[in-house]
């Protein structure tokens, strides 16, 4: 479908570190970059990006590839879709199959459906429109902006959808728009107020539906999970909010659709919402493309506050700055907006406290701080956090925690500093990891940089004692494997060394001189091994002629070895 030249041009035109850095917080590590792997639950950075060779590799889960395969996996795209989008991103013209892709077909159907629901609301559902305008206090402009709609609970409506959406019943059933009800089928969202859900690019990929008759089912339901609708990767309203998030350098995170819509109505354009799920590392990596600062405006009940605590824990691990706000008089932002209006929303946001201070507040509610034991328990709860902050250099979080603790307990900050000291011993992290022997490094550097010399390199390494602990690596080198494939055969510490060796240049002439010099050593080893083999065979040889020949050969080898030793080898 695409030529090799086109694919190479796309890969050369995209800085793989910058591109992957949109999803992963990468830090320089020698000649490569590393961070937490986005493809598995990674607590210790094991994901490496090598800019010179244009590939990534995770030592934790084994994922590897180039910028195209990374984009395919991170966005759950087909190869063709990934190439087309990356070509557009890089400004590279390519020959594109004019046939509509699966993704395009899907988003076209979902966009048309959003329009149908929206017209149904505006033209036929005055009572639902009144609910939005009067009870929710959402303006008509905002209703249009979010393309809110309605799915009627009528028998004829689902039957009309295939023709309106220009597709067939089977496709709509596969997409989860229609569901079987015995011998017939109905709209999954019948009788619900509809909220289209866009992806980061602004394409409709799913819906949230709010029941209007409380007796007919759960309050909210979402589209079923699919290739393009995954709640742990989507944030409601991100396509509209991302420019404001980048400009203001922080994002407001709320729980529900109407929390976000109400914040938008109040003029807070940098807010996004969770789709009925907890905040995930995937969400954070997406937000990390726009800001490293998050303000959580979740529900003020116990469940909401627990969710806030969990969210700041996850965010801090990924080096986000956090703050938390909640309304003491109203359950959530939507309720506050309805009860007190836009001004109250902005005033409440202004009262946000840093995430570490919120954590102190949260734990202190469960303890009796009027007695020493309660204060001691609070300090013990928070000590691991402070140790973690210190180990990562997050001194602002340390100070915020100590200041909030001082206010709660009455102890001075100096006393708390002393009580919260501790953590890693001097010897922690001192365990030695195996690595490449010094004698092997030049050979492996030559192997990685000069394919013509690989056979000589492998032959010489086999004769070195240092190769004993690197049997799997040597097997791969015998097969002529490239760096990307060799990384699968070794532990992370050696993998890092291989990446470094591939990056430090050794010219061809120097490489030949290294091998020639080492060849003297290797030849000496060959002579010694042949002599040892003769010594093993001699006692078993019965034939006098054969025995004499072996003895003559051993004398020749001994003389050869003596000549080498006189030569200073």
């Amino acid at each position: 479908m695409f030529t090799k030249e086109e694919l190479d041009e796309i890969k050369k035109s995209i800085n793989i570190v910058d591109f992957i850095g949109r999803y992963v917080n990468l830090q320089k590590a020698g000649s490569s970059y590393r961070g937490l792997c986005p493809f598995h639950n990674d607590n210790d950075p094991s994901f490496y990006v090598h800019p010179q060779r244009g590939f990534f590799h995770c030592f934790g889960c084994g994922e590897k590839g180039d910028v195209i395969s990374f984009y395919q996996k991170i966005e759950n795209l087909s190869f063709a879709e990934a190439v087309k989008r990356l070509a557009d991103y890089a400004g590279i013209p390519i020959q594109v199959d004019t046939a509509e892709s699966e993704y395009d077909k899907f988003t076209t159907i979902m966009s048309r459906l959003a329009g149908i629901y929206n017209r149904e609301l505006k033209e036929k559902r005055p009572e639902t429109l009144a609910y939005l305008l009067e009870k929710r206090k959402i303006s008509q402009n905002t209703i249009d902006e979010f393309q809110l709609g309605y799915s009627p609970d009528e028998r004829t409506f689902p039957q009309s959808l295939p023709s309106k959406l220009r597709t067939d019943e089977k496709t709509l059933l596969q997409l989860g728009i229609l569901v079987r009800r015995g011998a017939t089928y109905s709209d999954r969202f019948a009788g619900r107020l509809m909220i289209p859900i866009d992806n980061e690019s602004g394409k409709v990929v799913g819906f949230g539906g709010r029941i209007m008759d409380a007796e007919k089912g759960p309050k909210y339901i979402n589209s079923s999970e699919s290739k393009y609708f995954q709640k742990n990767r989507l944030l409601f309203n991100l396509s509209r909010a991302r420019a404001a998030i980048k400009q203001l350098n922080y994002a407001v995170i709320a729980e529900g659709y109407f929390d976000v819509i109400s914040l938008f109505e109040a003029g807070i354009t940098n807010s996004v919402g969770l789709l009925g799920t907890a905040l995930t590392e995937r969400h954070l990596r997406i937000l990390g493309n726009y800001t490293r600062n998050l303000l959580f405006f979740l529900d003020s009940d116990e469940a909401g506050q627990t969710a806030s605590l969990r969210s700041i824990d996850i965010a801090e691990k990924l080096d986000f700055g956090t703050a938390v706000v909640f309304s003491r008089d109203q359950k959530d932002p939507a309720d506050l907006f309805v009860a007190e209006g836009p001004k109250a929303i902005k005033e409440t946001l202004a009262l946000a406290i840093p995430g570490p201070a919120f954590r102190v507040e949260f734990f202190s509610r469960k303890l009796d701080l009027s007695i020493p034991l309660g204060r001691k328990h609070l300090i013990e709860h928070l000590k691991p956090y402070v140790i973690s902050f210190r180990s990562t250099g997050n001194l602002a979080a340390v100070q915020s925690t100590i200041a909030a603790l001082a206010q709660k307990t009455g102890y001075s900050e100096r006393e708390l500093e002393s009580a919260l000291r501790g953590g890693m011993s001097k010897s922690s992290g001192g365990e030695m990891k195996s690595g490449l022997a010094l004698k092997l490094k030049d050979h492996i550097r030559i192997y990685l940089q000069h394919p013509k010399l690989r056979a000589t390199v492998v032959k010489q390494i086999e004769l070195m004692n240092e190769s004993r602990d690197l049997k799997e690596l040597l097997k791969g080198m015998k097969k002529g494997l490239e760096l990307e494939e060799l990384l699968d055969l070794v532990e992370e510490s050696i993998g890092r060394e291989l990446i470094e060796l591939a990056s430090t240049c050794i010219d061809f002439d120097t490489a030949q001189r290294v091998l020639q010099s080492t060849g003297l050593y290797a030849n000496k080893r060959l002579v010694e091994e042949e002599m040892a083999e003769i010594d093993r065979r001699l006692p078993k040889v019965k034939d006098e002629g054969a025995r004499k020949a072996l003895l003559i050969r051993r004398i020749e080898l001994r003389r050869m070895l003596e000549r080498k030793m006189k030569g200073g080898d």
Side-chain angles (χ1 to χ4, degrees), residues 217-421:
K219 189 173 182 180
Y220 284 96
I221 62 170
N222 291 320
S223 292
S224 53
E225 291 275 307
S226 71
K227 184 177 180 179
Y228 305 112
F229 183 80
Q230 296 176 30
K231 290 184 287 187
N232 67 348
R233 320 169 42 124
L234 290 168
L235 289 160
F236 180 61
N237 193 47
L238 180 59
S239 62
R240 294 179 194 84
R242 57 186 183 173
I245 291 172
K246 201 160 193 173
Q247 181 183 0
L248 297 170
N249 196 24
Y250 77 99
V252 178
I253 299 179
E255 283 189 39
Y257 304 116
F258 280 103
D259 291 330
V260 174
I261 294 170
S262 297
L263 288 167
F264 183 90
E265 185 72 39
I268 310 302
T269 56
N270 58 328
S271 63
V272 295
L274 305 171
L275 303 180
T277 184
L279 183 75
T280 66
E281 289 188 7
R282 198 59 165 278
H283 291 139
L284 291 168
R285 290 190 180 101
I286 293 168
L287 286 168
N289 297 326
Y290 307 103
T291 185
R292 305 301 299 177
N293 301 299
L294 308 175
L295 194 161
F296 294 96
F297 196 170
L298 306 183
D299 290 0
S300 60
D301 58 12
E302 182 67 21
Q305 296 304 288
T306 301
S308 294
L309 181 66
R310 181 188 174 279
S311 296
I312 62 174
D313 283 350
I314 296 172
E316 285 172 350
K317 285 179 183 176
L318 296 184
D319 200 29
F320 280 83
T322 61
V324 180
V325 65
F326 56 94
S327 170
R328 295 189 181 278
D329 299 322
Q330 304 295 335
K331 181 178 179 291
D332 55 37
D335 289 347
L336 179 63
F337 175 74
V338 170
E340 302 180 42
K343 185 180 178 184
I345 291 283
K346 292 171 183 174
E347 289 174 346
T348 302
L349 287 171
L351 297 175
I353 60 174
F358 169 80
R359 186 181 286 112
V360 174
E361 173 70 27
F362 183 88
F363 284 132
S364 67
R365 292 181 209 156
K366 304 173 184 294
L367 299 167
D368 182 358
L369 300 185
S370 65
I371 59 174
L373 186 61
R375 296 192 290 273
K376 179 184 177 184
H377 283 163
L378 180 59
I379 293 169
E380 288 172 349
H381 274 310
L382 294 163
K383 186 173 182 177
Y385 291 99
V386 173
I387 291 171
S388 176
F389 294 146
R390 281 203 178 101
S391 69
T392 57
N394 191 348
L395 300 183
V398 172
Q399 187 54 43
S400 179
T401 302
I402 290 175
L405 265 175
Q407 187 175 12
K408 282 291 180 184
T409 62
Y411 297 132
S412 70
E413 292 189 15
R414 179 173 292 183
E415 288 174 314
L416 290 167
E417 279 275 7
S418 176
L420 292 166
R421 286 283 171 195

Side-chain angles (χ1 to χ4, degrees), residues 192-235:
R192 291 178 178 272
L193 173 64
M194 299 301 295
I195 304 106
I197 300 168
D198 300 345
N199 62 15
E200 193 175 354
S201 301
K203 300 285 189 180
V204 179
V205 292
F207 294 91
R210 187 193 189 283
I211 197 72
M212 297 308 293
D213 184 344
E215 297 179 0
K216 291 192 175 182
K219 189 173 182 180
Y220 284 96
I221 62 170
N222 291 320
S223 292
S224 53
E225 291 275 307
S226 71
K227 184 177 180 179
Y228 305 112
F229 183 80
Q230 296 176 30
K231 290 184 287 187
N232 67 348
R233 320 169 42 124
L234 290 168
L235 289 160

Side-chain angles (χ1 to χ4, degrees), residues 1 76 118 137 145 234 241 298 350 382 394 444 458 484 523:
M1 187 182 205
N76 198 22
N118 180 249
K137 297 190 176 179
E145 175 66 34
L234 290 168
L298 306 183
L382 294 163
N394 191 348
I444 292 175
V458 170
E484 295 89 329
N523 288 334

Side-chain angles (χ1 to χ4, degrees), residues 25-92:
N25 183 22
L26 296 173
Q27 302 293 326
K28 193 89 165 63
S31 63
S32 56
Y33 292 77
R34 72 171 184 167
L36 296 172
C37 179
F39 303 123
H40 78 286
N41 189 15
D42 191 9
N43 295 318
D44 183 26
S46 58
F47 180 86
Y48 285 77
V49 181
H50 195 290
Q52 292 179 330
R53 291 187 171 238
F55 74 88
F56 70 91
H57 184 97
C58 177
F59 291 96
C61 66
E63 284 294 339
K64 60 181 180 178
D66 55 25
V67 69
I68 297 173
S69 55
F70 176 86
Y71 193 47
Q72 265 189 275
K73 186 165 183 66
I74 200 79
E75 292 292 348
N76 198 22
L77 301 173
S78 69
F79 177 75
E81 287 168 353
V83 171
K84 283 191 281 187
R85 293 197 201 181
L86 287 173
D88 184 57
Y89 173 85
I92 305 295

